[in-house]
């Protein structure tokens, strides 16, 4: 008794198997040099430092503040029109910017974003706020009801594209004009690869800095929380510690 042959695979008309599209090079990032970057909270240390570094790298920057006069003063102190920095109130900053960095104090985070929901609609928003508390033992991480500052931003700004980045940078180094390079990696989180690629490219504009994709916004809490550990490192070693991710 013979057994039937195994059935042949159906051929779609070609003997050549379909080829997969080549994987995208993770370091092939878009050109962001023409984008205007707004910095909400740009008169504070972190926001001011980021504004200075991005402007120094050739990016057009608008510093935002609750008071336009404060923002304009900060812009002049950073180099003003000569460096491509100007100041405006938060609403105008948000309206006129392509990308908006949120660098406001944690206790004003929700209120600020709620008030700018319309102006931030359709914008790429980069949240770099670290929810921290301080007591006699030092800094410690707070956990917002939404999970993280970035997730709170996403909940408050449903019509914006929210990402998270620039959490672990030393404001002292950012603002020091004698420091040519900021040798650190920036952890970038978000829901869309196109958006996180833009943020990585923006980080890479700053000499010595590199943006590294670090997951979706649900992973933002531990990234924000790590700042408490870096504060402890800096206090013990009198340093301005940053991060480097190896093997990528």
């Amino acid at each position: 008794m013979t057994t039937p042959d195994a059935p042949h695979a159906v051929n779609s008309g070609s003997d050549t198997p379909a080829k997969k599209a080549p994987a995208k090079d993770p370091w092939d990032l878009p050109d962001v040099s023409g984008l205007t970057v707004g910095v909400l909270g740009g008169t504070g240390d972190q926001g001011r430092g980021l504004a200075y570094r991005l402007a120094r790298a050739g990016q057009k920057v608008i510093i935002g503040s609750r008071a336009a006069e404060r923002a304009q003063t900060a812009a002049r102190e950073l180099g003003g029109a000569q460096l491509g920095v100007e100041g405006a109130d938060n609403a105008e900053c948000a309206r006129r910017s392509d990308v908006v960095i949120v660098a406001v104090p944690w206790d004003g985070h929700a209120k600020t974003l709620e008030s700018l929901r319309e102006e931030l609609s359709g914008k790429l928003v980069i949240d770099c706020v670290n929810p921290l508390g301080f007591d006699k033992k030092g800094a410690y991480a707070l956990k917002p009801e939404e999970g993280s500052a970035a997730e709170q931003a996403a909940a408050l700004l449903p019509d914006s594209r929210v990402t998270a980045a620039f959490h672990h940078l030393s404001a002292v180094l950012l603002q020091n004009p004698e420091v040519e390079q900021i040798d650190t990696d920036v952890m970038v989180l978000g829901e869309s690869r196109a958006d996180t690629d833009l943020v990585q490219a923006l980080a890479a504009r700053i000499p010595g800095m590199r943006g590294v994709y670090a997951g979706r916004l649900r992973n933002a809490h531990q990234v924000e929380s790590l700042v408490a550990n870096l504060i402890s490192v800096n206090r013990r070693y009198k340093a301005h510690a940053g991060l480097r991710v190896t093997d990528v």
Side-chain angles (χ1 to χ4, degrees):
M1 182 176 177
T2 59
T3 57
D5 292 334
H8 294 291
V10 176
N11 193 307
S12 62
S14 170
D15 292 331
T16 304
K19 291 184 178 179
K20 287 185 179 179
K24 185 180 184 296
D25 180 352
W27 301 113
D28 180 15
L29 300 172
D31 179 10
V32 294
S33 59
L35 298 180
T36 298
V37 180
V39 185
L40 303 179
T43 57
D45 287 340
Q46 194 76 359
R48 187 185 179 99
L50 282 168
Y52 172 65
R53 285 293 158 176
L54 289 168
R56 183 167 160 171
Q59 212 75 39
K60 182 178 178 181
V61 174
I62 302 175
I63 287 177
S65 176
R66 285 178 295 177
E69 296 79 8
R70 284 189 64 202
Q72 291 159 359
T73 298
R76 284 194 298 270
E77 291 172 350
L78 291 183
Q82 186 176 359
L83 201 61
V85 187
E86 57 182 295
D89 63 54
N90 282 332
E92 183 181 352
C93 171
R95 276 194 302 269
R96 293 177 51 203
S97 301
D98 302 303
V99 178
V100 178
I101 297 173
V102 181
V104 299
W106 167 241
D107 58 6
H109 185 259
K111 186 176 179 180
T112 299
L113 296 184
E114 283 177 329
S115 70
L116 298 172
R117 183 175 295 165
E118 183 178 343
E119 290 83 359
L120 291 171
S121 178
K123 307 282 184 176
L124 175 59
V125 174
I126 307 171
D127 200 297
C128 70
V129 175
N130 303 302
L132 296 176
F134 295 87
D135 60 18
K136 292 181 180 179
K137 295 181 179 180
Y140 60 95
L142 303 175
K143 188 159 187 179
E145 183 179 345
E146 298 85 353
S148 64
E151 288 170 296
Q152 184 183 86
L156 294 171
L157 304 173
D159 298 321
S160 303
R161 295 139 50 210
V162 176
T163 59
F166 300 119
H167 302 91
H168 306 136
L169 305 181
S170 163
V172 173
L173 295 182
L174 287 172
Q175 293 184 80
N176 188 344
E178 295 182 4
V179 175
E180 295 294 330
Q181 293 196 164
I182 308 292
D183 293 318
T184 191
D185 286 337
V186 171
M187 310 288 274
V188 180
L189 304 100
E191 301 303 315
S192 160
R193 179 163 188 167
D195 292 340
T196 56
D197 279 358
L198 280 171
V199 180
Q200 286 180 255
L202 200 60
R205 295 274 287 160
I206 300 173
M209 199 173 289
R210 185 177 66 157
V212 178
Y213 174 71
R216 294 180 179 268
L217 288 184
R218 68 181 183 181
N219 294 320
H221 172 66
Q222 58 263 36
V223 173
E224 296 168 2
S225 300
L226 188 58
V227 174
N229 302 91
L230 292 177
I231 290 172
S232 297
V233 170
N234 290 337
R235 286 180 173 174
R236 173 64 61 89
Y237 298 102
K238 305 294 187 284
H240 302 295
L243 296 179
R244 277 295 190 202
V245 179
T246 61
D247 200 34
V248 294

